[in-house]
Amino acid sequence: MGYRIGLAAALIAVTAGMALAQESEVLFAHKHWQVEIVGWDDGSVGCVAEVSAPGESFSIWTFPDGAVQLQFYSTAWSFGEGDTADLEVQIDRRGPWSLTAAELYQNSVLFYLPDSNAGVNFINEVARGNRLYLRDADGSDVQNYSLAGSSASIDALIDCGGVIQSPGNPFN
């Protein structure tokens, strides 16, 4: 209960203090992961769980409409806008996941998870996994990310997502 009140306070702080294009507050950090609530100057909010190394990151975003988006970021990438690619993600030695028509945008690869059991299963694999491998459609390695601490961080992300999806009293 105290954690949820803290999330609600963070939501109020982020949305009230949005003089910049983006404002965020760290809600949770564990091992290689950090979970934040993010607010933009248009009043919209999101939650993000991210594992990062210098110039690289893998993020899972949740939004008030329930959408879940994966973001792979690298300063080494330079995409235009509107391009897509078919990619593959593998967690540990489990079977690979296809990211068909992932959006390539500037330094990021973006992909919305389906609102289905497949999306839930993917998030569960991330939470239980040790390493995530991003590959091109042919299976060649592009990047990999540590998932140490992902289980607790996914729990914190789910809690944050629940707060931003609750339009009523955040103290319930």
Side-chain angles (χ1 to χ4, degrees):
M1 170 119 170
Y3 182 71
R4 219 168 141 81
I5 290 172
L7 282 173
L11 177 63
I12 291 166
V14 166
T15 55
M18 289 188 291
L20 304 172
Q22 177 180 322
E23 179 106 10
S24 66
E25 184 171 327
V26 175
L27 302 173
F28 183 80
H30 184 63
K31 296 188 180 179
H32 297 125
W33 286 80
Q34 186 166 290
V35 178
E36 297 178 66
I37 187 166
V38 180
W40 290 272
D41 60 359
D42 66 358
S44 61
V45 295
C47 299
V48 61
E50 180 176 84
V51 60
S52 63
E56 311 284 332
S57 65
F58 164 57
S59 308
I60 303 172
W61 289 86
T62 61
F63 300 101
D65 65 359
V68 177
Q69 184 182 48
L70 306 179
Q71 178 181 16
F72 301 92
Y73 172 87
S74 176
T75 55
W77 302 336
S78 181
F79 306 119
E81 293 182 30
D83 291 331
T84 62
D86 294 338
L87 303 172
E88 193 175 89
V89 170
Q90 184 173 3
I91 299 163
D92 300 331
R93 296 184 184 267
R94 295 179 180 97
W97 294 84
S98 296
L99 305 184
T100 305
E103 179 185 357
L104 307 177
Y105 180 77
Q106 297 179 358
N107 301 94
S108 295
V109 174
L110 305 166
F111 185 80
Y112 281 97
L113 288 179
D115 185 17
S116 66
N117 287 340
V120 171
N121 291 342
F122 179 84
I123 294 296
N124 285 333
E125 275 194 28
V126 169
R128 291 189 318 264
N130 294 308
R131 184 142 306 266
L132 182 145
Y133 301 92
L134 176 64
R135 298 188 172 119
D136 66 18
D138 296 331
S140 298
D141 286 336
V142 173
Q143 188 56 270
N144 66 80
Y145 308 89
S146 170
L147 297 179
S150 58
S151 180
S153 298
I154 296 296
D155 287 345
L157 178 67
I158 291 168
D159 287 346
C160 182
V163 169
I164 65 172
Q165 290 180 22
S166 301
N169 184 347
F171 300 102
N172 285 337

